Amino acid sequence: AVQSLPTPGPTDRLLEALRLGRLWTAFADGARCGVRVQHERTWYAEGATLYDEAVTQPSAQFTFSPTSGFVLQVFGDGVLRQVWPQHLRDEAIRLQAASAGAKPVPGG
């Protein structure tokens, strides 16, 4: 038989007491990866001191930064943001302009 777990009710834990923080990891090649609680996202009612864990919870933000300068961020609501450094954007624009007059290759 399937046993159902009780649904958690509202909590009166203070956010300050949760010791929310961040974790950074550096790789041998210089890339960095970080995870932190996304404080900017409102996940409880304005002015509320209680919230229902069954309905809403705080979320995390994930960041990956390779040595190329590209930055990838994933936010708690599923939004993905890519930040390209200027030198990579300039190169992409140059390559796109160079290929503007290119003709398709038959069969390829």
Side-chain angles (χ1 to χ4, degrees):
V2 176
Q3 184 182 27
S4 64
L5 298 173
T7 303
T11 180
D12 59 357
R13 286 184 285 175
L14 298 174
L15 292 180
E16 298 82 1
L18 295 178
R19 297 183 174 217
L20 306 174
R22 61 181 64 204
L23 169 69
W24 280 97
T25 302
F27 298 98
D29 68 352
R32 296 180 313 277
C33 179
V35 179
R36 71 174 181 85
V37 173
Q38 189 179 351
H39 298 285
E40 302 86 359
R41 179 175 168 256
T42 303
W43 50 273
Y44 52 89
E46 183 71 31
T49 57
L50 299 174
Y51 64 93
D52 189 344
E53 290 180 337
V55 176
T56 183
Q57 297 178 359
S59 60
Q61 176 183 332
F62 171 84
T63 303
F64 179 70
S65 304
T67 56
S68 66
F70 171 79
V71 177
L72 175 69
Q73 292 180 305
V74 182
F75 297 94
D77 58 0
V79 170
L80 175 71
R81 179 169 69 180
Q82 300 177 23
V83 181
W84 294 87
Q86 189 66 45
H87 70 279
L88 291 177
R89 287 195 307 255
D90 292 344
E91 180 66 12
I93 290 169
R94 187 188 66 73
L95 290 173
Q96 185 178 19
S99 67
K103 297 180 181 175
V105 176

